[in-house]
Amino acid sequence: MKKLIISFILIIAFYMMIGHVSSLAIPDDALRIRVIANSNSAYDQEIKSIVKEATQKRLYELLKNTKGVDKARNIINNNILSLDTDINKILKDLDYNLGYDINFGMNYFPEKEYKGTIYNEGYYESLVITLGSGGGDNWWCVLFPPLCLIEAEESSEVEYTSYVKELIEKYI
């Protein structure tokens, strides 16, 4: 009977730890990035992908040695005009004439499920790039701590939960 009770307590503790880890996957003070396509047409989704990849690479260069969210925020604010110029050049080279908007502040994010983890909808401090009317599917990721910037550097799919321990030790 004691073994059963101890096993039951261990199972409950394990599930509580899993829930705690998934809630730490994105810290409350994280900065996010979101790129919203004009529509779901193949063309607009391709434009979104091109803008996303170029922006990720540029932000990786800017933030790769940054140690705190306040410094990351200042770097983004100080470079918003150059990011805007970069995006403008990319879209001009692609003959994309629908316009775009770039905003760094509190922006709405819809709920997202990624690899079994649900990320809640809400308003989050973020860099949002809206292409055209913004009526298409979007891509978003955590900008700082640099989960999607790690992806830009390594060119592989990010698995949020694999970085949790490293991020906690490095940034919290």
Side-chain angles (χ1 to χ4, degrees):
M1 184 68 171
K2 285 183 183 181
K3 287 182 182 181
L4 182 63
I5 293 172
I6 291 172
S7 297
F8 184 70
I9 291 171
L10 289 175
I11 290 170
I12 291 173
F14 176 73
Y15 280 106
M16 289 175 67
M17 285 177 25
I18 289 173
H20 182 65
V21 169
S22 66
S23 71
L24 292 175
I26 301 179
D28 289 339
D29 64 347
L31 304 177
R32 298 175 184 214
I33 182 172
R34 183 176 182 208
V35 181
I36 308 169
N38 177 59
S39 74
N40 285 331
S41 73
Y43 173 75
D44 284 338
Q45 290 298 312
E46 180 63 23
I47 296 294
K48 176 189 77 177
S49 293
I50 292 167
V51 169
K52 170 197 88 111
E53 289 179 26
T55 304
Q56 274 185 290
K57 287 178 185 175
R58 177 74 171 116
L59 289 168
Y60 171 74
E61 292 169 11
L62 291 170
L63 298 173
K64 66 183 174 184
N65 296 317
T66 306
K67 298 293 182 198
V69 71
D70 290 332
K71 287 189 180 205
R73 186 179 294 117
N74 287 337
I75 289 170
I76 294 166
N77 276 320
N78 291 335
N79 287 279
I80 199 82
L81 291 177
S82 70
L83 289 168
D84 185 44
T85 301
D86 293 347
I87 294 166
N88 190 37
K89 182 181 181 331
I90 290 165
L91 295 177
K92 188 174 183 178
D93 290 347
L94 294 169
D95 288 328
Y96 184 84
N97 299 319
L98 296 177
Y100 68 96
D101 182 60
I102 185 169
N103 177 318
F104 182 59
M106 296 301 287
N107 296 289
Y108 175 76
F109 279 65
E111 181 179 89
K112 178 177 181 176
E113 182 176 346
Y114 180 76
K115 294 195 175 194
T117 301
I118 295 176
Y119 298 94
N120 293 329
E121 71 175 320
Y123 285 85
Y124 298 98
E125 187 174 14
S126 54
L127 176 68
V128 174
I129 301 164
T130 305
L131 302 168
S133 67
D137 288 342
N138 73 101
W139 167 87
W140 72 263
C141 192
V142 177
L143 179 59
F144 194 88
L147 292 179
C148 55
L149 300 185
I150 291 168
E151 177 183 282
E153 177 187 31
E154 297 175 355
S155 299
S156 64
E157 193 171 309
V158 173
E159 189 168 331
Y160 292 107
T161 56
S162 68
Y163 295 104
V164 171
K165 182 178 178 186
E166 177 185 332
L167 291 170
I168 290 170
E169 292 170 356
K170 188 172 181 179
Y171 297 107
I172 297 180

